[in-house]
Amino acid sequence: MIFKGSERFSEFSPFLEYEDQESATWLKAALEYANEPLPAQHRTKIAVNATLPAVRPDLISSVLASFGTFGTVKIKIGGAGSDLEQDLARVLETNRLFPEAKIRLDANGCFSVADAVAFSQKITALPIEYFEQPVATIEELVQLRHQLQASGVELKIAADESIRKAVDPLEVSRLGAADIAVLKVQPLGGIRSALEIARTSSLAPVISSALESSIGIAHGLQLAASMTDLDYACGLATASLLAADVVTEPLIPTNGFLEVTEPVPDQELLKQFAVDAETQASWHQRLDRCLALLEA
Ligand SMILES: [Mg+2]
């Protein structure tokens, strides 16, 4: 849902399968962005990474072409229908085509600890920045880090799902389960709450989108702009993964950077991509239920 508050346009876009309780956290973020003043900014442009989904090796160049110049590429591995061999082939081919690019891997928690160790041992020669959520649980992340250390593999681990879907987003930091925290505005309940998590945890932040339109991605840009320390490229260049957008100038990076802006939706595009009346009604009901939870 795209709506305008007292300050600016905002987006409420929890995934369809999410329960109301989890979606209400996303709504809290959307309302804060719409109605509250933004925190102080420390930068006006944000370095972003390209993202490579699980495509065949011969399609890598054309998929990555939509990101323009990039210094960092995130490669999705471990998804449904792919196997370790194919994942490895995709990573190696990406490195062959873009030898200067830093690589980060994201398995969305799909690997077992054993597979994650085996995979990590095969990529030690590559410029791997970090491996994001190789395994599903915080306990497995801790195990994995111990096993990597024991086998002499130096590889940074990032936590995404373990932070955004956790009851306590700081548990990862407390248990030493990762080096890097992937922070997303909507799942963490807003820019202020994400800033607080970054401040309290000992992890290096990477700000990412939750696959929003350019309106929602702008929430992440503001969070990235407000971070005091930001050493890694952010995962905010996801507009090109969408078939269409609601702004006339989608947030597509130039030379690996996105400008920090407050995009405004285009009325014609909003009309063009409006959902049918039944879907609209179900979203309004979802909004009401989530509002009730926030007010409870
Ligand atoms: Mg991720």
Side-chain angles (χ1 to χ4, degrees):
M1 297 184 99
I2 308 280
F3 64 96
K4 189 162 194 264
S6 59
E7 297 293 319
R8 60 191 68 79
F9 278 97
S10 188
E11 173 171 333
F12 169 54
S13 48
F15 299 122
L16 287 174
E17 70 275 17
Y18 277 17
E19 302 289 339
D20 291 342
Q21 194 66 54
E22 188 169 7
S23 306
T25 305
W26 293 52
L27 180 58
K28 185 166 169 273
L31 291 172
E32 180 201 72
Y33 187 75
N35 296 315
E36 304 286 333
L38 296 168
Q41 295 185 350
H42 299 287
R43 54 191 72 74
T44 57
K45 57 179 198 166
I46 309 296
V48 290
N49 65 272
T51 300
L52 182 71
V55 297
R56 292 200 319 260
D58 59 309
L59 295 175
I60 293 172
S61 295
S62 60
V63 171
L64 288 178
S66 69
F67 291 92
T69 316
F70 56 86
T72 309
V73 56
K74 166 156 129 173
I75 306 177
K76 288 281 189 179
I77 59 174
S82 77
D83 60 34
L84 292 182
E85 292 291 307
Q86 288 168 345
D87 286 338
L88 185 62
R90 193 161 64 258
V91 174
L92 291 172
E93 180 63 4
T94 307
N95 175 246
R96 194 186 67 79
L97 292 167
F98 302 93
E100 304 297 320
K102 285 177 268 185
I103 293 175
R104 37 179 90 158
L105 308 171
D106 186 1
N108 293 96
C110 283
F111 280 10
S112 64
V113 173
D115 280 351
V117 171
F119 199 87
S120 303
Q121 284 169 332
K122 289 188 177 136
I123 51 168
T124 49
L126 302 182
I128 306 289
E129 201 172 30
Y130 61 75
F131 194 166
E132 176 174 329
Q133 202 75 46
V135 291
T137 67
I138 294 178
E139 293 70 34
E140 287 173 314
L141 285 174
V142 173
Q143 272 178 39
L144 173 62
R145 289 188 86 209
H146 286 153
Q147 290 193 23
L148 287 176
Q149 210 174 13
S151 54
V153 176
E154 264 186 56
L155 180 63
K156 287 199 168 78
I157 301 295
D160 176 7
E161 286 86 348
S162 284
I163 288 175
R164 88 178 129 93
K165 293 183 92 63
V167 181
D168 176 5
L170 289 170
E171 201 185 355
V172 168
S173 167
R174 248 193 336 268
L175 295 179
D179 307 278
I180 290 149
V182 177
L183 303 178
K184 301 179 177 177
V185 174
Q186 286 199 83
L188 293 175
I191 292 176
R192 280 180 181 72
S193 130
L195 278 174
E196 182 58 18
I197 290 165
R199 199 184 59 76
T200 324
S201 88
S202 55
L203 311 176
V206 170
I207 314 306
S208 286
S209 83
L211 278 183
E212 293 104 336
S213 80
S214 285
I215 303 291
I217 290 173
H219 304 194
L221 282 176
Q222 293 295 342
L223 171 60
S226 336
M227 301 292 312
T228 13
D229 298 308
L230 191 64
D231 298 330
Y232 290 95
C234 288
L236 294 168
T238 51
S240 68
L241 298 173
L242 299 182
D245 208 327
V246 293
V247 300
T248 48
E249 287 181 41
L251 294 176
I252 305 291
T254 310
N255 297 325
F257 285 88
L258 280 174
E259 298 279 340
V260 179
T261 55
E262 281 181 35
V264 171
D266 178 79
Q267 293 305 319
E268 279 309 307
L269 291 170
L270 284 180
K271 260 183 237 162
Q272 192 181 335
F273 298 117
V275 291
D276 60 58
E278 197 184 330
T279 312
Q280 241 177 65
S282 78
W283 270 90
H284 278 280
Q285 287 160 10
R286 191 182 199 193
L287 174 67
D288 288 341
R289 294 194 308 270
C290 291
L291 269 177
L293 284 173
L294 286 184
E295 283 158 8

